[in-house]
């Protein structure tokens, strides 16, 4: 973990330019002063991936729910900037929930914004390991990406077998991953400011993030992962999407 | 909204004086480390200097930041990236209000309550007496520590000039709106950022404008090569260019942008760049060049309708605005607690930590070449971690204190400055943050 980060020459001399941000939000019927949650989608996914189930579900359980699409072509720094900007614009200290590469973005945003809490869902914190898994699970789709070509994800990689094939292929058609070289770099994990509680959620059957990677991620934040066997990488789009989000909301409610 | 705090004993809580930018970040960072906090604010709202509704606010209608947005915002709560490079003072206030709401700071602040005395109890604790500003009741509570964030830009420093003046004299602190300038002959005294802003406002409103400065300065523009000047300056600091080289670059940049102002009758600077608080103003030279501002030397006396100048000239303004700065004031503390000298200048480690009372810290008593908020934030983080370390590991705390007290002044304080009162708290933000970083690292758990 890197320690304090006082000298921010990059931000002072070359601030990230503003960009239009696509944010979807659902507010609960009555405001019970709960912290807002901000869902951050991963590679190739947009706000729609959370708008499908988790956003309305979180709002239904009383949490103001927001989700943000990554800016097109944005590098990691720009994505972190957008998450922090969106969180700081909320009326209260927010909970950050990132999925896949979105969890990497959240892990970095935590060093720039004292979140109320954070949840890393199937987190791709180590790009090399994720690339390795992708090559094993879908060599034909992943190999070209290594040489600057297109990355094609397959339904098998992202979803469990319970998701109807039709729905899987519909989702897949909306996913447009543009992997960036910097995501494959190994980052020194930045230290969160304000010491928020952090939960790692995933599935032992995820073909993008291996069980070992989940354990490592959770251990880095001083815990063990919360596991949902049988589910694929895209937990929020699976048939059993309600289980993980309910567990996350229960955990949140306990933390606050 | 909330019950009154348990009177008397708040022995494990920290008292914060003031809810301006510095007080707010102190409350937030102390809370983040788990401290109980009572913050007292004599005004009825947050924002301090930036709340123009407060009688003591020094901001005027036209005031914009001089430090650009990325160098002014708190490091963990950015201003909206859609805001301009140099936000208006009303935006800065709304930013501070949102900061307070976002982190739920309001419930720890007692508004309309002035701290009238803070006395150490001898066992590291404090007895703090507060009074409601309506002239109401006073009460005394015990605290574990006192964090002073009372600001140093509200008590006008007024020049003493011999003689009587028939026109109106006001300090810049009382200047709010350009309406008072309209159709008048105005003399602005003082070449700080306030004096320069007011000379420019007068140039747009008054019939005649004199600007009196007692020395020449380096007038930096707000933009260099299309970028905010402070952002360009930080590039030089990032490359760790030596001071001499930076001074040379500064002189060249000012020559190529603002130009040579002696041509208009301004005195040449009597010091090198970086030896006085930066003046950032792109419009002053413009109005000098248009003959709307007449530079004049120091004022020596008043004489009925006239003002006498150091060069023997006499001018006859209707209105004199003294933009001669502000004094720090700590009436609720005995002078020795801050090691005040006979001029009222405190001597604090890093301009923050009282040398003799480990549980007394001042936040925001700084004048950096950047925004104040980031420095006040990291001061607060350091203060909170310091207070925590004293509780958890007194031996380590003592060792840190010993090591810190040997830290050479020149590493964190501006060494060579024009020796006037306005430079008491002048710091270079990079040097200063490096010193705070080293202090923070020393206080890390050793594992
Ligand atoms: C015209 C002008 C322009 C400026 N422009 C910039 C700029 O561009 N960038 C920048 O970073 N800084 C600028 N500053 C500096 C400015 O002072 C700081 O930005 C900031 O306001 C400092 O905050 P503070 O909390 O330390 O002090 P303040 O804002 O003065 O707040 C102190 C608070 O403490 C309260 N208080 C004082 N004594 C007591 C007491 N005994 N009991 C209870 N409450 C008390 C006061 O009511 C006040 O609310 C400018 C200053 C001026 C005068
Ligand atoms: N964001 C903005 O636009 C903005 C605007 C205004 C102020 N500020 C900030 O607010 C703070 C205060 O600024 P300020 O301009 O009000 O005060 P200041 O920086 O203290 O400047 C005071 C000026 O008055 C002169 N002066 C002082 N006493 C004098 C005397 N007895 N006779 C003649 N001249 C005298 C000083 O001259 P010497 O140099 O010789 O001492 C100096 O030129 C600064 O940190 C400043 O950067 C920011």
């Amino acid at each position: 973990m890197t320690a304090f980060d006082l000298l921010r020459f990059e931000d002072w001399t070359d601030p990230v330019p503003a960009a239009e941000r696509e944010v979807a939000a659902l507010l609960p019927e009555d405001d019970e002063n709960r912290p807002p949650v901000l869902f951050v989608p991963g590679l190739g996914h947009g706000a729609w991936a959370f708008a499908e189930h988790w956003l309305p579900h979180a709002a239904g359980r009383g949490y103001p729910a927001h989700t943000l699409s990554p800016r097109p072509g944005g590098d990691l720094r720009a994505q972190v900037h957008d998450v922090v900007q969106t969180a700081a614009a909320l009326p209260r200290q927010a909970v950050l929930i990132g999925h896949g590469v979105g969890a990497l973005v959240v892990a970095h945003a935590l060093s720039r914004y004292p979140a109320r809490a954070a949840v890393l869902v199937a987190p791709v914190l180590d790009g090399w390991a994720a690339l390795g898994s992708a090559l094993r699970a879908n060599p034909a789709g992943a190999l070209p990406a290594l040489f600057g070509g297109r990355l094609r994800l397959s339904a098998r990689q992202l979803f469990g077998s319970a998701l109807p094939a039709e729905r899987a292929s519909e989702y897949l058609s909306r996913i447009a991953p543009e992997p960036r070289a910097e995501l494959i770099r190994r980052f020194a994990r930045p230290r969160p400011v304000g010491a928020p509680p952090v939960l790692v959620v995933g599935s032992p059957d995820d073909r993008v993030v291996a069980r070992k990677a989940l354990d490592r991620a959770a251990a880095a934040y001083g815990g063990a992962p919360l596991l949902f066997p049988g589910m694929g990488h895209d937990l929020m789009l699976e048939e059993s999407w309600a289980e993980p989000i309910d567990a996350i909301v229960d955990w949140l409610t306990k933390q606050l | 909204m909330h019950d009154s705090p348990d009177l008397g004993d708040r022995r494990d809580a920290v008292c914060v004086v003031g809810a301006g930018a510095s007080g707010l970040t102190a409350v937030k960072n102390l809370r983040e480390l788990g401290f109980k906090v009572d913050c007292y604010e004599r005004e009825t709202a947050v924002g301090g200097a930036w709340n123009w509704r407060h009688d003591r606010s020094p901001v005027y209608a036209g005031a914009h930041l001089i430090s650009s947005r990325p160098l002014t915002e708190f490091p963990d709560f950015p201003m909206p990236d859609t805001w301009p490079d140099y936000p208006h003072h009303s935006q800065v206030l709304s930013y501070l209000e949102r900061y307070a709401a976002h982190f739920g700071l309001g419930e720890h602040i007692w508004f309309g309550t002035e701290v009238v005395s803070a006395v150490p109890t001898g066992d590291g604790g404090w007895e703090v007496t507060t009074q409601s500003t309506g002239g109401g009741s006073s009460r005394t509570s015990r605290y574990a520590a006192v964090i002073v964030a009372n600001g140093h830009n509200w008590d006008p420093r007024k020049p003493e000039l011999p003689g009587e003046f028939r026109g109106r004299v006001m300090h810049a602190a009382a200047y709010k709106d350009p309406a008072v300038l309209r159709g008048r002959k105005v003399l602005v005294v003082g070449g700080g950022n306030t004096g320069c802003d007011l000379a420019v406002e007068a140039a747009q409103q008054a019939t005649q404008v004199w600007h009196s400065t007692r020395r020449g300065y380096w007038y930096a523009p707000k933009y260099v090569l299309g970028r905010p000047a402070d952002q360009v300056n930080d590039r030089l600091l990032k490359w760790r260019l030596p001071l001499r080289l930076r001074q040379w670059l500064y002189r060249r940049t000012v020559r190529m942008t603002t130009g040579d102002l002696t041509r208009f009758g301004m005195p040449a600077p009597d010091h090198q760049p970086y030896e006085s608080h930066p003046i950032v103003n792109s419009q002053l030279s413009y109005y000098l060049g248009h003959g709307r501002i007449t530079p004049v030397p120091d004022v020596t006396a008043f004489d009925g309708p006239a003002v006498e100048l150091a060069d023997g000239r006499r001018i006859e303004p209707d209105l004199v605005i003294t933009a001669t700065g502000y004094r720090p004031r700590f009436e609720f503390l005995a002078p020795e607690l801050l090691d005040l000298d006979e001029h009222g200048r405190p001597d604090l480690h890093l301009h923050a930590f009282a040398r003799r009372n480990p549980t007394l810290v001042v936040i925001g008593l700084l004048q950096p070449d950047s925004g104040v908020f980031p420095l006040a934030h990291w001061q607060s983080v350091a203060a909170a971690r310091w207070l925590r370390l004293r509780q958890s590991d007194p031996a380590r705390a003592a060792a840190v204190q010993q090591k810190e007290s040997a830290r050479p002044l020149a590493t964190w304080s501006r060494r060579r400055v024009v020796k006037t009162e306005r430079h008491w708290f002048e710091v270079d933000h990079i040097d200063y943050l490096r010193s705070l970083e080293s202090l923070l690292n020393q206080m890390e758990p050793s594992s």
Side-chain angles (χ1 to χ4, degrees):
Chain A
M1 268 201 290
T2 46
F4 301 97
D5 183 17
L6 282 74
L7 299 173
R8 302 190 182 174
F9 286 111
E10 200 179 14
D11 292 346
W12 294 336
T13 61
D14 186 20
V16 175
E20 198 78 41
R21 280 186 283 271
E22 186 198 331
V23 179
L26 266 180
L27 305 182
E29 298 275 298
D30 8 63
D31 182 1
E32 289 177 44
N33 248 357
R34 291 210 176 86
V37 298
L38 174 60
F39 293 106
V40 181
L43 198 63
H45 295 61
W48 63 267
F50 287 109
E52 195 83 358
H53 306 298
W54 280 19
L55 195 75
H57 195 74
R61 290 200 53 186
Y63 286 84
H66 306 256
T67 175
L68 159 81
S69 290
R71 69 166 77 181
D75 60 7
L76 179 63
R77 182 171 171 241
Q79 291 191 42
V80 170
H81 167 90
D82 286 341
V83 168
V84 173
Q85 281 280 325
T86 307
L90 297 172
R92 285 190 291 274
Q93 225 173 335
V95 177
L96 304 182
I97 303 182
H99 171 254
V101 173
L104 174 72
V105 175
V106 165
H108 283 261
L110 290 180
S111 72
R112 291 305 173 95
Y113 169 77
R116 188 72 183 74
V119 184
L120 309 179
V121 183
V124 177
L125 299 186
D126 180 342
W128 277 114
L131 186 68
S133 308
L135 284 171
R136 270 192 304 280
N138 178 16
L143 209 53
L146 267 188
F147 304 99
R150 217 166 81 85
L151 174 70
R152 275 177 298 124
L153 299 174
S154 71
R156 216 177 82 80
Q157 250 175 310
L158 298 182
F159 308 110
S161 51
L163 191 72
E166 206 172 292
R167 203 105 66 73
S169 68
E170 194 244 321
Y171 287 149
L172 210 56
S173 71
R174 294 162 81 173
I175 296 171
E178 280 172 48
R180 301 185 54 104
E182 86 252 12
L183 297 180
I184 300 182
R185 231 184 292 140
R186 272 213 173 109
F187 294 97
R189 194 172 62 87
R191 173 154 85 177
V193 290
V198 178
L199 174 70
V200 173
V201 173
S203 161
D205 303 307
D206 183 335
R207 291 201 181 82
V208 177
V209 182
R211 169 69 204 267
K212 265 209 198 109
L214 291 176
D215 288 337
R216 262 202 311 272
Y221 292 95
L226 198 57
L227 295 173
F228 296 87
M231 297 185 80
H233 180 66
D234 277 6
L235 286 88
M236 66 284 183
L237 294 173
E238 289 277 77
E239 281 289 277
S240 51
W241 58 264
E243 285 169 38
I245 186 65
D246 269 327
I248 288 170
V249 173
D250 290 343
W251 174 82
L252 261 185
T253 309
K254 217 163 70 200
Q255 297 301 317
L256 307 173
Chain B
M1 208 168 72
H2 39 77
D3 303 332
S4 50
D6 188 8
L7 267 201
D9 208 353
R10 297 279 291 157
R11 221 177 281 244
D12 50 350
V14 177
C15 169
V16 174
V17 185
S22 302
L24 291 175
T25 192
V27 176
K28 175 199 160 275
N29 286 303
L30 284 162
R31 295 274 314 141
E32 218 164 83
L33 233 67
F35 286 98
K36 286 187 214 148
V37 182
D38 290 337
C39 172
Y40 297 105
E41 168 55 59
R42 65 184 172 198
E43 301 283 353
T44 52
V46 301
W50 296 102
N51 199 326
W52 50 272
R53 294 181 197 94
H54 298 167
D55 288 342
R56 297 187 191 80
S57 165
V59 309
Y60 32 89
H64 283 255
L65 284 177
I66 40 162
S67 47
S68 75
R69 183 163 47 77
L71 280 136
T72 305
E73 64 200 9
F74 290 116
D76 58 355
F77 189 76
M79 292 186 188
D81 58 6
T82 49
W83 278 11
D85 291 334
Y86 295 106
H88 184 244
H89 70 78
S90 58
Q91 289 177 302
V92 180
L93 173 61
S94 88
Y95 172 70
L96 294 175
E97 288 169 345
R98 284 204 305 109
Y99 181 80
H102 195 86
F103 295 108
L105 307 180
E107 61 185 279
H108 310 287
I109 306 173
W110 300 85
F111 291 106
T113 311
E114 178 158 6
V115 171
V116 292
S117 106
V119 181
T121 52
D123 56 356
W126 292 82
E127 249 170 34
V128 176
T129 305
T130 58
Q131 185 151 36
S132 67
T133 37
S137 56
S138 80
R139 63 192 188 200
T140 302
S141 316
R142 293 192 50 134
Y143 287 98
V146 171
I147 306 278
V148 177
N150 63 334
H152 59 105
N153 279 322
W154 52 268
D155 184 34
R157 195 190 284 286
K158 293 178 181 162
E160 282 166 28
L161 289 165
E164 290 283 325
F165 182 56
R166 236 181 269 151
R168 180 169 172 206
V169 183
M170 69 192 274
H171 188 270
Y175 170 83
K176 293 288 148 201
D177 190 276
V180 297
L181 307 169
R182 224 157 276 154
R184 296 239 161 74
K185 292 184 286 174
V186 179
L187 166 65
V188 177
V189 181
N193 283 303
T194 306
C196 294
D197 272 2
L198 296 198
V200 166
E201 293 207 353
Q204 297 161 349
Q205 306 289 343
T207 50
Q208 189 168 5
V209 185
W210 296 276
H211 187 197
S212 158
T213 53
R214 58 182 180 184
R215 69 185 78 246
Y217 298 99
W218 297 95
Y219 297 89
K222 277 200 149 168
Y223 284 91
V224 174
L225 305 169
R227 301 291 314 165
D230 54 0
Q231 297 181 17
V232 176
N233 184 50
D234 269 31
R235 237 167 243 251
L236 307 182
L237 293 166
K238 177 181 171 185
W239 295 329
R240 291 196 181 226
L241 296 189
L243 179 64
R244 289 288 165 122
L245 182 55
R246 282 190 290 128
Q247 288 176 327
W248 179 81
L249 279 167
Y250 203 108
R251 286 196 299 269
R252 279 200 63 96
T253 309
V254 168
R255 199 175 316 137
M256 288 188 317
T257 50
T258 309
D260 175 13
L261 300 183
T262 59
R263 206 157 71 78
F264 307 117
M266 278 276 197
D270 58 354
H271 54 278
Q272 287 299 315
Y274 298 106
E275 291 177 3
S276 59
H277 183 59
I279 298 170
V280 191
N281 194 309
S282 295
Q283 288 171 287
L284 191 79
S285 58
Y286 176 92
Y287 286 108
L288 283 167
H290 286 64
R292 292 290 300 136
I293 298 175
T294 308
V296 293
D298 206 10
V299 173
T300 48
F302 289 133
D303 183 12
V307 173
E308 283 179 13
L309 303 172
D311 60 0
R313 255 188 298 168
R314 289 163 66 88
I315 54 175
E316 297 196 355
D318 318 313
L319 171 65
V320 176
I321 305 183
T322 52
T324 43
Y326 299 85
R327 297 183 303 172
R329 236 170 106 171
F330 306 93
E331 281 162 319
F332 51 93
L333 289 172
E336 64 273 15
L337 294 173
L338 299 173
D339 286 301
L340 296 191
D341 71 7
E342 70 271 26
H343 306 289
R345 176 185 191 160
D347 173 23
L348 303 167
H349 180 56
L350 298 174
H351 291 314
F353 296 89
R355 297 194 184 276
R356 287 181 257 181
N357 274 283
T359 51
L360 176 63
V361 187
V362 183
I363 304 293
L365 187 60
L366 293 173
Q367 193 160 263
D369 49 352
S370 70
V372 177
F373 304 177
L375 275 61
H377 166 89
W378 290 112
Q379 283 183 320
S380 303
V381 172
R385 285 175 180 263
W386 164 247
L387 294 176
R388 177 58 76 232
L389 187 69
R390 280 195 76 241
Q391 294 172 343
S392 63
D393 191 346
R396 274 274 302 290
V400 169
Q401 186 169 22
Q402 182 136 43
K403 191 149 171 248
E404 278 294 306
S405 59
R407 185 194 289 278
L409 210 76
T411 55
W412 55 271
S413 176
R414 202 37 98 65
R415 287 133 284 191
R416 287 201 48 172
V417 285
V418 173
K419 295 243 172 306
T420 65
E421 292 158 335
R422 63 190 289 235
H423 293 130
W424 280 356
F425 313 114
E426 196 72 18
V427 295
D428 172 310
H429 67 295
I430 304 290
D431 288 347
Y432 189 81
L433 287 173
R434 282 209 173 101
S435 305
L436 275 182
E437 184 175 31
S438 129
L439 168 60
L440 283 165
N441 285 331
Q442 285 177 64
M443 295 192 290
E444 280 290 87
S446 34
S447 68

